[in-house]
Each structure stands twice: as C-alpha cells, then as structure tokens.
mmCIF file of all heavy atoms in Angstrom:
data_model
loop_
_atom_site.group_PDB
_atom_site.id
_atom_site.type_symbol
_atom_site.label_atom_id
_atom_site.label_comp_id
_atom_site.label_asym_id
_atom_site.label_seq_id
_atom_site.Cartn_x
_atom_site.Cartn_y
_atom_site.Cartn_z
ATOM 1 N N TRP A 1 -141.506 75.719 8.756
ATOM 2 C CA TRP A 1 -140.854 76.062 7.492
ATOM 3 C C TRP A 1 -139.582 75.273 7.260
ATOM 4 O O TRP A 1 -139.173 75.041 6.135
ATOM 5 C CB TRP A 1 -140.557 77.558 7.456
ATOM 6 C CG TRP A 1 -141.733 78.330 7.009
ATOM 7 C CD1 TRP A 1 -142.570 79.078 7.784
ATOM 8 C CD2 TRP A 1 -142.264 78.412 5.682
ATOM 9 N NE1 TRP A 1 -143.576 79.613 7.034
ATOM 10 C CE2 TRP A 1 -143.409 79.232 5.739
ATOM 11 C CE3 TRP A 1 -141.880 77.874 4.464
ATOM 12 C CZ2 TRP A 1 -144.169 79.529 4.618
ATOM 13 C CZ3 TRP A 1 -142.634 78.158 3.347
ATOM 14 C CH2 TRP A 1 -143.763 78.970 3.432
ATOM 15 N N ALA A 2 -138.939 74.850 8.330
ATOM 16 C CA ALA A 2 -137.681 74.124 8.161
ATOM 17 C C ALA A 2 -137.880 72.817 7.406
ATOM 18 O O ALA A 2 -136.949 72.290 6.809
ATOM 19 C CB ALA A 2 -137.055 73.832 9.523
ATOM 20 N N ARG A 3 -139.094 72.320 7.401
ATOM 21 C CA ARG A 3 -139.343 71.028 6.749
ATOM 22 C C ARG A 3 -139.654 71.177 5.260
ATOM 23 O O ARG A 3 -139.615 70.204 4.520
ATOM 24 C CB ARG A 3 -140.512 70.327 7.437
ATOM 25 C CG ARG A 3 -140.207 69.926 8.878
ATOM 26 C CD ARG A 3 -141.363 69.140 9.454
ATOM 27 N NE ARG A 3 -141.027 68.646 10.789
ATOM 28 C CZ ARG A 3 -141.807 67.836 11.497
ATOM 29 N NH1 ARG A 3 -142.955 67.442 10.997
ATOM 30 N NH2 ARG A 3 -141.450 67.427 12.684
ATOM 31 N N TYR A 4 -140.027 72.362 4.837
ATOM 32 C CA TYR A 4 -140.430 72.511 3.441
ATOM 33 C C TYR A 4 -139.243 72.238 2.520
ATOM 34 O O TYR A 4 -138.147 72.698 2.741
ATOM 35 C CB TYR A 4 -140.963 73.918 3.169
ATOM 36 C CG TYR A 4 -142.275 74.206 3.847
ATOM 37 C CD1 TYR A 4 -142.856 75.446 3.772
ATOM 38 C CD2 TYR A 4 -142.936 73.216 4.569
ATOM 39 C CE1 TYR A 4 -144.058 75.723 4.393
ATOM 40 C CE2 TYR A 4 -144.124 73.478 5.198
ATOM 41 C CZ TYR A 4 -144.680 74.726 5.115
ATOM 42 O OH TYR A 4 -145.870 74.991 5.732
ATOM 43 N N GLY A 5 -139.537 71.509 1.451
ATOM 44 C CA GLY A 5 -138.499 71.178 0.492
ATOM 45 C C GLY A 5 -137.766 69.900 0.842
ATOM 46 O O GLY A 5 -136.973 69.407 0.061
ATOM 47 N N GLY A 6 -138.019 69.343 2.013
ATOM 48 C CA GLY A 6 -137.380 68.108 2.406
ATOM 49 C C GLY A 6 -138.297 66.926 2.172
ATOM 50 O O GLY A 6 -139.164 66.944 1.302
ATOM 51 N N ARG A 7 -138.133 65.913 3.005
ATOM 52 C CA ARG A 7 -138.924 64.697 2.786
ATOM 53 C C ARG A 7 -140.345 64.831 3.266
ATOM 54 O O ARG A 7 -141.161 63.935 3.080
ATOM 55 C CB ARG A 7 -138.250 63.506 3.463
ATOM 56 C CG ARG A 7 -138.208 63.582 4.976
ATOM 57 C CD ARG A 7 -137.311 62.502 5.543
ATOM 58 N NE ARG A 7 -137.268 62.537 6.995
ATOM 59 C CZ ARG A 7 -138.087 61.861 7.782
ATOM 60 N NH1 ARG A 7 -139.053 61.136 7.252
ATOM 61 N NH2 ARG A 7 -137.969 61.913 9.085
ATOM 62 N N HIS A 8 -140.706 65.961 3.884
ATOM 63 C CA HIS A 8 -142.054 66.145 4.388
ATOM 64 C C HIS A 8 -142.981 66.830 3.392
ATOM 65 O O HIS A 8 -144.175 66.912 3.628
ATOM 66 C CB HIS A 8 -142.035 66.966 5.685
ATOM 67 C CG HIS A 8 -141.277 66.298 6.786
ATOM 68 N ND1 HIS A 8 -139.935 66.459 6.966
ATOM 69 C CD2 HIS A 8 -141.692 65.444 7.763
ATOM 70 C CE1 HIS A 8 -139.542 65.741 8.005
ATOM 71 N NE2 HIS A 8 -140.585 65.120 8.501
ATOM 72 N N VAL A 9 -142.441 67.361 2.316
ATOM 73 C CA VAL A 9 -143.240 68.071 1.317
ATOM 74 C C VAL A 9 -142.806 67.638 -0.075
ATOM 75 O O VAL A 9 -141.613 67.533 -0.360
ATOM 76 C CB VAL A 9 -143.077 69.604 1.446
ATOM 77 C CG1 VAL A 9 -143.823 70.321 0.325
ATOM 78 C CG2 VAL A 9 -143.566 70.082 2.796
ATOM 79 N N ALA A 10 -143.787 67.371 -0.929
ATOM 80 C CA ALA A 10 -143.518 67.048 -2.331
ATOM 81 C C ALA A 10 -144.317 68.006 -3.202
ATOM 82 O O ALA A 10 -145.553 68.035 -3.121
ATOM 83 C CB ALA A 10 -143.894 65.597 -2.636
ATOM 84 N N ASP A 11 -143.626 68.805 -3.982
ATOM 85 C CA ASP A 11 -144.253 69.781 -4.869
ATOM 86 C C ASP A 11 -144.195 69.226 -6.287
ATOM 87 O O ASP A 11 -143.123 69.121 -6.879
ATOM 88 C CB ASP A 11 -143.501 71.111 -4.770
ATOM 89 C CG ASP A 11 -144.213 72.246 -5.478
ATOM 90 O OD1 ASP A 11 -144.840 71.994 -6.519
ATOM 91 O OD2 ASP A 11 -144.125 73.392 -4.996
ATOM 92 N N THR A 12 -145.350 68.852 -6.825
ATOM 93 C CA THR A 12 -145.354 68.225 -8.146
ATOM 94 C C THR A 12 -144.853 69.167 -9.244
ATOM 95 O O THR A 12 -144.320 68.697 -10.248
ATOM 96 C CB THR A 12 -146.759 67.703 -8.504
ATOM 97 O OG1 THR A 12 -147.720 68.754 -8.339
ATOM 98 C CG2 THR A 12 -147.134 66.519 -7.631
ATOM 99 N N MET A 13 -144.999 70.474 -9.058
ATOM 100 C CA MET A 13 -144.443 71.400 -10.050
ATOM 101 C C MET A 13 -142.922 71.297 -10.069
ATOM 102 O O MET A 13 -142.303 71.208 -11.141
ATOM 103 C CB MET A 13 -144.863 72.835 -9.752
ATOM 104 C CG MET A 13 -144.243 73.865 -10.706
ATOM 105 S SD MET A 13 -144.673 75.577 -10.312
ATOM 106 C CE MET A 13 -146.348 75.637 -10.979
ATOM 107 N N GLN A 14 -142.322 71.265 -8.894
ATOM 108 C CA GLN A 14 -140.868 71.169 -8.825
ATOM 109 C C GLN A 14 -140.374 69.791 -9.255
ATOM 110 O O GLN A 14 -139.362 69.671 -9.948
ATOM 111 C CB GLN A 14 -140.398 71.478 -7.401
ATOM 112 C CG GLN A 14 -140.632 72.912 -6.982
ATOM 113 C CD GLN A 14 -140.098 73.203 -5.593
ATOM 114 O OE1 GLN A 14 -139.548 72.326 -4.925
ATOM 115 N NE2 GLN A 14 -140.273 74.431 -5.142
ATOM 116 N N LEU A 15 -141.067 68.752 -8.828
ATOM 117 C CA LEU A 15 -140.642 67.401 -9.193
ATOM 118 C C LEU A 15 -140.702 67.190 -10.694
ATOM 119 O O LEU A 15 -139.822 66.532 -11.280
ATOM 120 C CB LEU A 15 -141.523 66.362 -8.485
ATOM 121 C CG LEU A 15 -141.444 66.332 -6.955
ATOM 122 C CD1 LEU A 15 -142.414 65.298 -6.403
ATOM 123 C CD2 LEU A 15 -140.029 66.049 -6.484
ATOM 124 N N TRP A 16 -141.731 67.749 -11.337
ATOM 125 C CA TRP A 16 -141.866 67.591 -12.782
ATOM 126 C C TRP A 16 -140.824 68.408 -13.539
ATOM 127 O O TRP A 16 -140.305 67.982 -14.565
ATOM 128 C CB TRP A 16 -143.268 67.987 -13.223
ATOM 129 C CG TRP A 16 -143.521 67.730 -14.681
ATOM 130 C CD1 TRP A 16 -143.506 68.641 -15.701
ATOM 131 C CD2 TRP A 16 -143.802 66.465 -15.286
ATOM 132 N NE1 TRP A 16 -143.767 68.035 -16.892
ATOM 133 C CE2 TRP A 16 -143.955 66.686 -16.679
ATOM 134 C CE3 TRP A 16 -143.941 65.165 -14.790
ATOM 135 C CZ2 TRP A 16 -144.234 65.661 -17.570
ATOM 136 C CZ3 TRP A 16 -144.232 64.143 -15.681
ATOM 137 C CH2 TRP A 16 -144.372 64.397 -17.043
ATOM 138 N N SER A 17 -140.515 69.587 -13.024
ATOM 139 C CA SER A 17 -139.569 70.463 -13.711
ATOM 140 C C SER A 17 -138.126 70.016 -13.544
ATOM 141 O O SER A 17 -137.251 70.441 -14.302
ATOM 142 C CB SER A 17 -139.704 71.895 -13.178
ATOM 143 O OG SER A 17 -140.996 72.398 -13.417
ATOM 144 N N LEU A 18 -137.871 69.152 -12.536
ATOM 145 C CA LEU A 18 -136.509 68.713 -12.228
ATOM 146 C C LEU A 18 -135.642 69.935 -11.929
ATOM 147 O O LEU A 18 -136.093 70.837 -11.249
ATOM 148 C CB LEU A 18 -135.980 67.834 -13.359
ATOM 149 C CG LEU A 18 -136.761 66.507 -13.549
ATOM 150 C CD1 LEU A 18 -136.280 65.767 -14.784
ATOM 151 C CD2 LEU A 18 -136.616 65.632 -12.319
ATOM 152 N N PRO A 19 -134.417 70.051 -12.461
ATOM 153 C CA PRO A 19 -133.603 71.212 -12.073
ATOM 154 C C PRO A 19 -133.967 72.499 -12.817
ATOM 155 O O PRO A 19 -133.447 73.557 -12.487
ATOM 156 C CB PRO A 19 -132.169 70.785 -12.445
ATOM 157 C CG PRO A 19 -132.232 69.346 -12.785
ATOM 158 C CD PRO A 19 -133.631 69.086 -13.246
ATOM 159 N N SER A 20 -134.830 72.421 -13.810
ATOM 160 C CA SER A 20 -135.114 73.601 -14.621
ATOM 161 C C SER A 20 -136.023 74.565 -13.862
ATOM 162 O O SER A 20 -136.733 74.175 -12.942
ATOM 163 C CB SER A 20 -135.790 73.202 -15.930
ATOM 164 O OG SER A 20 -137.168 72.959 -15.727
ATOM 165 N N PRO A 21 -136.020 75.854 -14.247
ATOM 166 C CA PRO A 21 -136.869 76.839 -13.566
ATOM 167 C C PRO A 21 -138.284 76.905 -14.132
ATOM 168 O O PRO A 21 -139.034 77.812 -13.806
ATOM 169 C CB PRO A 21 -136.120 78.156 -13.825
ATOM 170 C CG PRO A 21 -135.483 77.956 -15.166
ATOM 171 C CD PRO A 21 -135.110 76.495 -15.224
ATOM 172 N N GLU A 22 -138.652 75.954 -14.984
ATOM 173 C CA GLU A 22 -139.973 75.993 -15.609
ATOM 174 C C GLU A 22 -141.089 75.919 -14.560
ATOM 175 O O GLU A 22 -140.981 75.213 -13.559
ATOM 176 C CB GLU A 22 -140.134 74.823 -16.574
ATOM 177 C CG GLU A 22 -139.259 74.890 -17.805
ATOM 178 C CD GLU A 22 -139.480 73.680 -18.693
ATOM 179 O OE1 GLU A 22 -138.942 72.618 -18.365
ATOM 180 O OE2 GLU A 22 -140.206 73.803 -19.694
ATOM 181 N N ARG A 23 -142.163 76.670 -14.813
ATOM 182 C CA ARG A 23 -143.360 76.614 -13.965
ATOM 183 C C ARG A 23 -144.472 76.009 -14.821
ATOM 184 O O ARG A 23 -145.219 76.726 -15.485
ATOM 185 C CB ARG A 23 -143.728 78.013 -13.459
ATOM 186 C CG ARG A 23 -142.682 78.607 -12.537
ATOM 187 C CD ARG A 23 -143.063 80.028 -12.122
ATOM 188 N NE ARG A 23 -144.373 80.081 -11.492
ATOM 189 C CZ ARG A 23 -144.599 79.813 -10.206
ATOM 190 N NH1 ARG A 23 -143.596 79.466 -9.411
ATOM 191 N NH2 ARG A 23 -145.819 79.901 -9.700
ATOM 192 N N ILE A 24 -144.567 74.706 -14.797
ATOM 193 C CA ILE A 24 -145.492 73.988 -15.662
ATOM 194 C C ILE A 24 -146.789 73.745 -14.899
ATOM 195 O O ILE A 24 -146.787 73.250 -13.771
ATOM 196 C CB ILE A 24 -144.877 72.665 -16.137
ATOM 197 C CG1 ILE A 24 -143.556 72.947 -16.869
ATOM 198 C CG2 ILE A 24 -145.840 71.910 -17.053
ATOM 199 C CD1 ILE A 24 -142.766 71.710 -17.210
ATOM 200 N N SER A 25 -147.896 74.089 -15.531
ATOM 201 C CA SER A 25 -149.186 74.000 -14.851
ATOM 202 C C SER A 25 -149.592 72.547 -14.634
ATOM 203 O O SER A 25 -149.189 71.636 -15.364
ATOM 204 C CB SER A 25 -150.265 74.716 -15.657
ATOM 205 O OG SER A 25 -150.591 73.984 -16.832
ATOM 206 N N LEU A 26 -150.432 72.349 -13.633
ATOM 207 C CA LEU A 26 -150.969 71.018 -13.356
ATOM 208 C C LEU A 26 -151.768 70.519 -14.542
ATOM 209 O O LEU A 26 -151.689 69.331 -14.907
ATOM 210 C CB LEU A 26 -151.838 71.074 -12.100
ATOM 211 C CG LEU A 26 -152.507 69.769 -11.663
ATOM 212 C CD1 LEU A 26 -151.484 68.702 -11.339
ATOM 213 C CD2 LEU A 26 -153.410 70.027 -10.437
ATOM 214 N N ASP A 27 -152.526 71.395 -15.174
ATOM 215 C CA ASP A 27 -153.336 71.001 -16.322
ATOM 216 C C ASP A 27 -152.465 70.517 -17.479
ATOM 217 O O ASP A 27 -152.783 69.524 -18.131
ATOM 218 C CB ASP A 27 -154.207 72.175 -16.759
ATOM 219 C CG ASP A 27 -155.271 71.771 -17.768
ATOM 220 O OD1 ASP A 27 -155.983 70.782 -17.506
ATOM 221 O OD2 ASP A 27 -155.395 72.436 -18.807
ATOM 222 N N THR A 28 -151.352 71.195 -17.728
ATOM 223 C CA THR A 28 -150.437 70.794 -18.798
ATOM 224 C C THR A 28 -149.872 69.411 -18.533
ATOM 225 O O THR A 28 -149.810 68.555 -19.430
ATOM 226 C CB THR A 28 -149.295 71.814 -18.933
ATOM 227 O OG1 THR A 28 -149.839 73.076 -19.346
ATOM 228 C CG2 THR A 28 -148.273 71.358 -19.960
ATOM 229 N N ILE A 29 -149.465 69.162 -17.295
ATOM 230 C CA ILE A 29 -148.897 67.855 -16.939
ATOM 231 C C ILE A 29 -149.961 66.772 -17.073
ATOM 232 O O ILE A 29 -149.689 65.686 -17.619
ATOM 233 C CB ILE A 29 -148.331 67.886 -15.514
ATOM 234 C CG1 ILE A 29 -147.206 68.914 -15.411
ATOM 235 C CG2 ILE A 29 -147.822 66.501 -15.113
ATOM 236 C CD1 ILE A 29 -146.738 69.175 -13.995
ATOM 237 N N CYS A 30 -151.166 67.054 -16.608
ATOM 238 C CA CYS A 30 -152.244 66.068 -16.705
ATOM 239 C C CYS A 30 -152.519 65.696 -18.152
ATOM 240 O O CYS A 30 -152.624 64.505 -18.494
ATOM 241 C CB CYS A 30 -153.513 66.614 -16.053
ATOM 242 S SG CYS A 30 -153.488 66.614 -14.253
ATOM 243 N N ARG A 31 -152.634 66.701 -19.004
ATOM 244 C CA ARG A 31 -152.927 66.413 -20.415
ATOM 245 C C ARG A 31 -151.789 65.624 -21.049
ATOM 246 O O ARG A 31 -152.024 64.724 -21.866
ATOM 247 C CB ARG A 31 -153.181 67.713 -21.166
ATOM 248 C CG ARG A 31 -154.545 68.326 -20.825
ATOM 249 C CD ARG A 31 -154.907 69.508 -21.692
ATOM 250 N NE ARG A 31 -154.203 70.713 -21.289
ATOM 251 C CZ ARG A 31 -153.222 71.284 -21.951
ATOM 252 N NH1 ARG A 31 -152.795 70.742 -23.086
ATOM 253 N NH2 ARG A 31 -152.633 72.378 -21.515
ATOM 254 N N PHE A 32 -150.559 65.923 -20.694
ATOM 255 C CA PHE A 32 -149.401 65.213 -21.231
ATOM 256 C C PHE A 32 -149.414 63.737 -20.807
ATOM 257 O O PHE A 32 -149.063 62.844 -21.586
ATOM 258 C CB PHE A 32 -148.118 65.889 -20.753
ATOM 259 C CG PHE A 32 -146.858 65.254 -21.265
ATOM 260 C CD1 PHE A 32 -146.419 65.486 -22.557
ATOM 261 C CD2 PHE A 32 -146.103 64.419 -20.447
ATOM 262 C CE1 PHE A 32 -145.255 64.894 -23.027
ATOM 263 C CE2 PHE A 32 -144.944 63.818 -20.905
ATOM 264 C CZ PHE A 32 -144.515 64.067 -22.202
ATOM 265 N N LEU A 33 -149.842 63.494 -19.570
ATOM 266 C CA LEU A 33 -149.835 62.128 -19.035
ATOM 267 C C LEU A 33 -151.130 61.374 -19.309
ATOM 268 O O LEU A 33 -151.265 60.222 -18.915
ATOM 269 C CB LEU A 33 -149.578 62.168 -17.527
ATOM 270 C CG LEU A 33 -148.196 62.667 -17.085
ATOM 271 C CD1 LEU A 33 -148.130 62.750 -15.560
ATOM 272 C CD2 LEU A 33 -147.090 61.763 -17.617
ATOM 273 N N GLY A 34 -152.101 62.028 -19.945
ATOM 274 C CA GLY A 34 -153.366 61.363 -20.220
ATOM 275 C C GLY A 34 -154.287 61.316 -19.018
ATOM 276 O O GLY A 34 -155.205 60.486 -18.960
ATOM 277 N N ILE A 35 -154.064 62.203 -18.061
ATOM 278 C CA ILE A 35 -154.923 62.310 -16.884
ATOM 279 C C ILE A 35 -155.961 63.394 -17.161
ATOM 280 O O ILE A 35 -155.619 64.443 -17.719
ATOM 281 C CB ILE A 35 -154.085 62.691 -15.646
ATOM 282 C CG1 ILE A 35 -153.082 61.581 -15.331
ATOM 283 C CG2 ILE A 35 -154.974 62.979 -14.437
ATOM 284 C CD1 ILE A 35 -152.006 61.979 -14.333
ATOM 285 N N PRO A 36 -157.230 63.175 -16.821
ATOM 286 C CA PRO A 36 -158.236 64.213 -17.080
ATOM 287 C C PRO A 36 -157.826 65.561 -16.492
ATOM 288 O O PRO A 36 -157.432 65.650 -15.329
ATOM 289 C CB PRO A 36 -159.493 63.661 -16.394
ATOM 290 C CG PRO A 36 -159.293 62.177 -16.407
ATOM 291 C CD PRO A 36 -157.819 61.960 -16.237
#
C-alpha cells in the first residue's frame, strides 16, 4: 500500500481529473478523446 499513489501506480481517473474531485468515467474520457 505504501506504493499506491506514487510512481508505481497510475490512475487514469485521477490523472484526468487533475486536482479536481471529479469522478469521470472511462467511457466519457474515451468518447471525448475519440477512442472507441
């Protein structure tokens, strides 16, 4: 658990939301970026 949130884990929900508390779905991000 000590590694979570560091350089060993990348959470695309958090990376996409940046500092905001938004919980944006993977499907929403895909459609926005033109990914199926």
Side-chain angles (χ1 to χ4, degrees):
W1 276 104
R3 294 185 175 186
Y4 292 176
R7 66 190 181 91
H8 298 88
V9 175
D11 189 325
T12 52
M13 176 183 282
Q14 293 183 0
L15 296 178
W16 185 259
S17 299
L18 296 174
S20 80
E22 292 179 282
R23 295 177 57 83
I24 302 172
S25 72
L26 179 61
D27 191 50
T28 295
I29 299 171
C30 285
R31 286 188 283 108
F32 181 78
L33 294 176
I35 296 167

